[in-house]
Structures are given as structure tokens and as C-alpha cells.
Amino acid sequence: TRVPLAHNASQTSLIPYSKTMNMASLLKSCSSRLTSPATNCIRTHTAITANRKTATLQRLCIRNFHQSTPLHEPKKTVKIIYIDPMDKEITVDAEVGRHLLDIAHDHNIELEGACGAELACATCHLIFEKDVYDTLSEKEPEEDDMLDMAFELTDTSRLGCQITVTEDMEGMRVRIPDDGY
């Protein structure tokens, strides 16, 4: 038996289908035959048995869509320099849009973040240079409350879980205080 596969209103193609073919191999066969210039996405599928002798594919919906940017567009990154309590500088590529705490964890930098970025501790405390600090987003009152518990608190202290990396942070230096390091 052959099962019709509709790409869109103007295209139809037939694919072989047997009782022994599982849904995964059917979908693989279907997706290899999609030739529409638009990106095709198999949205839903339902296999039913019409009677005990034959199996038919009841519905295979294809959703065509275009995307203006490639799916695997390279992520934008900036260089950020973490300075640990022993004054060792660690330069990392930080992905724009992520928090400084996550960037530190991704690069095995010792910055605790005990609450899991829930703004319930001060273990991701960082100290910024004055000119960088002035460009950061406004502190929430909850962040200020948590910073009151931080060791080595300065006028330019912030929590790493609350700072999102932006493109203008290229070359930024941030100090990790000696909070019992």
C-alpha cells in the first residue's frame, strides 16, 4: 500500500507503508521527501488501523513556515574578565543575554550561586569597576536586601544572577570577592 503525503495544496507524493513500518521510520521517510522551499515541520501524526488486515495513515499534517534568521545562527559573545580572590584573571567568551553567574559556572569559575539564581542569597556577589557599574541596569530592592548579607560589600557590588550580559560589556572586568574562598 502507499500512503499519500501532502506537502501543500499543490503537491502530493506517495510513500510505501507496511504493517511492519513503525511511525519513526515512516516520519523519517516522509521528511526525506519534503521538497518544499519552505522549512517543513511535522506537527501532528496519528496512525490507526482501519481493519485487522491493513494499516492506514489517518492524518499527517505538515506546517510550512519561513524563518528570517538561520536556525543555527552563531550566538553573539563578548570577552569578559573575571578576577578571582587570588587576583588571577580568567578571560571568557560570554554569550549575550545570559547572566554572569551562568557564564561563571559554564567556565568552571568559583562563584557559588547557592540559591540557584532565585535572589535568595548573596553567594554570587561580584564587584564592578565604577564606570561599568554606572552602565548596569537598576538594582531591585530585593537584590539590595540580599547584598546586605554579602562579605566585602562595596558601592559597586551586584549579584551575578541579576546581571545580564550585553554587547557593550566587551572587555569588562569583574572581581569575585573573597567571600570565604
Side-chain angles (χ1 to χ4, degrees):
T1 12
R2 290 183 174 263
V3 178
L5 173 67
H7 300 279
N8 57 39
S10 64
Q11 296 178 335
T12 301
S13 118
L14 296 176
I15 60 167
Y17 182 72
S18 68
K19 286 183 182 181
T20 58
M21 179 182 274
N22 64 25
M23 186 56 72
S25 60
L26 174 65
L27 292 174
K28 184 178 179 183
S29 175
C30 292
S31 63
S32 68
R33 294 171 185 258
L34 299 175
T35 58
S36 171
T39 306
N40 291 292
C41 172
I42 297 173
R43 187 176 61 203
T44 60
H45 59 274
T46 307
I48 64 163
T49 303
N51 58 43
R52 292 188 177 154
K53 294 180 183 176
T54 62
T56 62
L57 187 66
Q58 178 189 27
R59 181 179 56 187
L60 185 63
C61 299
I62 305 295
R63 176 172 49 107
N64 293 320
F65 63 92
H66 291 281
Q67 186 165 340
S68 59
T69 58
L71 291 175
H72 301 289
E73 182 177 308
K75 308 259 192 250
K76 292 182 181 179
T77 60
V78 294
K79 299 272 188 216
I80 292 182
I81 303 162
Y82 287 88
I83 305 167
D84 75 8
M86 307 304 280
D87 287 329
K88 178 183 171 196
E89 292 188 2
I90 306 154
T91 303
V92 299
D93 286 323
E95 185 179 320
V96 172
R98 300 204 52 219
H99 292 107
L100 288 177
L101 174 64
D102 298 329
I103 302 297
H105 287 175
D106 289 349
H107 293 88
N108 296 318
I109 295 172
E110 190 71 32
L111 186 62
E112 189 175 345
C115 70
E118 293 293 324
L119 199 53
C121 71
T123 58
C124 62
H125 171 214
L126 296 170
I127 300 171
F128 295 85
E129 294 172 343
K130 179 68 174 148
D131 58 325
V132 173
Y133 180 83
D134 292 338
T135 65
L136 299 176
S137 60
E138 191 76 23
K139 265 193 277 189
E140 296 292 326
E142 295 84 5
E143 182 180 359
D144 244 348
D145 293 344
M146 289 299 113
L147 281 169
D148 287 341
M149 298 186 298
F151 294 103
E152 295 188 34
L153 186 64
T154 70
D155 290 339
T156 61
S157 291
R158 292 292 301 267
L159 297 179
C161 66
Q162 299 301 302
I163 305 299
T164 303
V165 175
T166 60
E167 290 183 40
D168 61 334
M169 290 181 176
E170 178 70 43
M172 175 182 76
R173 298 165 53 88
V174 59
R175 180 170 293 280
I176 302 169
D178 186 8
D179 291 348
Y181 187 75

